[in-house]
């Protein structure tokens, strides 16, 4: 908890565009990302942003597709907030926050994925991706961190080549290659980043610290794709928001998101594939 004096100090700095850690209202903290850490997954990534740290693992398995989408695969999102990351996550507090984060990630990211590339055999077999995010440390702006880590883990994901045999009265058999280099990548060109803007008084900040979140009256979560378009947005918090501020926040998110996504994608594309190799060393961007 923060005292009223501490909240006034933080709000005063935001009004002057000089936050307690020296950043302007639009600035992100340094970001580090490392892929290929978890050996028993098809893709993984650990991402640090300030005092927040998240780990994402993606596991793929072959399953029958859902009846109403016979030529598409399945993607499911899960988030786990451990009490070790924040004592407030003990009990239902962590469950509610995890559900909120998983819903945001699903609404922002799922529509950007090409689910048809997960189809193995129409109406019979497809890939099901389980995207599991674990919050290791909570230092503010966990939502943005999770969504960036999911993008990095999707970029790292490799699906083994599947050979289908049988048919013509014979039972179908799937042969999944165990060669780590005989695989396919996922298309992540359209996956957005999420920019969370926190309203403090009559101003707002990007990449809020945990202390700034305690001063927040309301916030907007905005997903921005590579074309600079907004593909998802939501508002939460009890405070009202002037429409002009809301539109200004949407425009600001476009600018921040485009820079963030370009930097992240450039960094990921510069890294070698981790499949069959040692994990990639942690690399930073937006420092």
């Amino acid at each position: 908890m923060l005292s009223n004096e501490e909240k006034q100090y933080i709000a005063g700095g935001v009004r002057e565009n000089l936050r307690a850690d020296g950043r302007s209202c639009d600035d992100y903290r340094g970001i580090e990302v490392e892929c290929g850490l978890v050996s028993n997954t098809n893709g993984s990534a650990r991402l640090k942003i300030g005092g927040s740290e998240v780990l994402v693992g993606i596991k793929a398995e072959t399953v029958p597709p859902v009846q109403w989408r016979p030529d598409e695969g399945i993607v499911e999102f899960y988030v786990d907030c451990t009490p070790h990351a924040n004592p407030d996550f003990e009990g239902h507090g962590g469950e509610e926050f995890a559900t909120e984060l998983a819903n945001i990630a699903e609404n922002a990211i799922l529509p950007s994925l090409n689910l048809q590339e997960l189809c193995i055999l129409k109406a019979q077999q497809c890939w099901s991706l389980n995207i599991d995010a674990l919050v290791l440390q909570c230092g503010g702006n966990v939502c943005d961190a999770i969504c960036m880590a999911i993008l990095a883990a999707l970029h790292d994901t490799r699906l083994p080549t599947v050979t289908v045999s049988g048919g013509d009265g014979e039972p179908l058999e799937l042969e999944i290659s165990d060669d780590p280099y005989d695989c396919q990548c996922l298309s992540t060109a359209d996956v957005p980043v999420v920019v969370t803007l926190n309203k403090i008084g009559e101003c707002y900040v990007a990449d809020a610290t945990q202390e700034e979140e305690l001063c927040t009256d309301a916030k907007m979560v905005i997903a921005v794709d590579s074309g600079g378009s907004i593909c998802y947005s939501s508002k939460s918090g009890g405070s009202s928001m002037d429409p002009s501020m809301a539109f200004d926040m949407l425009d600001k998110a476009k600018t921040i998101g485009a820079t963030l996504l370009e930097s992240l994608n450039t960094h990921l594309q510069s890294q070698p594939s981790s499949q069959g190799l040692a994990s990639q060393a942690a690399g930073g961007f937006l420092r």
Side-chain angles (χ1 to χ4, degrees):
M1 294 294 292
L2 296 178
S3 66
N4 289 333
E5 290 76 12
E6 289 172 313
K7 291 182 178 180
Q8 290 172 4
Y9 173 76
I10 291 172
V14 170
R15 282 196 303 271
E16 298 297 324
N17 197 28
L18 182 61
R19 297 154 75 176
D21 56 9
R23 290 181 291 150
S24 72
C25 290
D26 299 346
D27 287 342
Y28 270 68
R29 295 164 290 180
I31 301 172
E32 291 184 2
V33 61
E34 186 175 4
C35 296
L37 287 169
V38 187
S39 60
N40 63 340
T41 64
N42 294 81
S44 62
R46 178 185 63 86
L47 188 136
K48 287 184 178 181
I49 176 169
S52 292
E53 181 178 358
V54 299
L55 178 67
V56 172
I58 300 178
K59 291 186 177 182
E61 60 179 343
T62 57
V63 299
V66 295
Q67 287 184 329
W68 54 92
R69 291 183 175 174
D71 60 345
E72 294 182 358
I74 301 169
V75 180
E76 297 182 325
F77 296 79
Y78 304 94
V79 176
D80 184 16
C81 298
T82 65
H84 174 73
N86 189 329
D88 292 339
F89 291 162
E90 191 77 48
H92 293 297
E95 293 177 7
E96 292 175 0
F97 188 48
T99 300
E100 176 187 347
L101 292 171
N103 288 338
I104 290 173
E106 180 175 348
N107 290 328
I109 294 175
L110 184 58
S112 71
L113 299 176
N114 180 8
L115 298 182
Q116 291 185 337
E117 71 178 350
L118 300 178
C119 178
I120 298 173
L121 195 61
K122 184 176 179 179
Q124 298 193 53
Q125 287 291 310
C126 70
W127 287 109
S128 174
L129 303 183
N130 293 315
I131 301 178
D132 293 289
L134 176 64
V135 179
L136 301 174
Q137 296 291 336
C138 183
N141 200 23
V142 172
C143 181
D144 294 13
I146 282 180
C147 291
M148 281 189 282
I150 289 174
L151 170 53
L154 287 168
H155 178 85
D156 184 61
T157 296
R158 301 294 182 269
L159 298 178
T161 298
V162 179
T163 304
V164 181
S165 59
D168 295 329
E170 299 274 339
L172 292 175
E173 294 185 0
L174 302 182
E175 182 179 346
I176 300 176
S177 175
D178 57 4
D179 182 346
Y181 296 98
D182 185 18
C183 57
Q184 66 180 36
C185 306
L186 296 176
S187 173
T188 59
D190 296 326
V191 177
V193 291
V194 165
V195 177
T196 301
L197 299 176
N198 292 64
K199 177 179 178 289
I200 299 176
E202 298 305 316
C203 305
Y204 58 85
V205 299
D207 184 27
T209 64
Q210 195 169 15
E211 292 76 20
E212 289 170 337
E213 288 180 342
L214 293 174
C215 302
T216 293
D217 304 314
K219 69 179 180 181
M220 289 191 71
V221 178
I222 304 152
V224 182
D225 64 20
S226 57
S229 299
I230 293 174
C231 48
Y232 169 80
S233 67
S234 66
K235 174 192 172 294
S236 61
S239 174
S240 61
M241 186 179 296
D242 187 88
S244 62
M245 173 178 276
F247 284 119
D248 188 58
M249 293 170 80
L250 291 171
D251 287 338
K252 181 63 69 174
K254 289 182 182 180
T255 303
I256 295 174
T259 301
L260 194 63
L261 188 55
E262 181 181 5
S263 299
L264 178 56
N265 281 331
T266 299
H267 175 76
L268 293 174
Q269 290 165 9
S270 70
Q271 304 300 307
S273 168
S274 64
Q275 298 301 310
L277 305 173
S279 66
Q280 300 172 17
F285 60 98
L286 286 187
R287 291 182 175 280

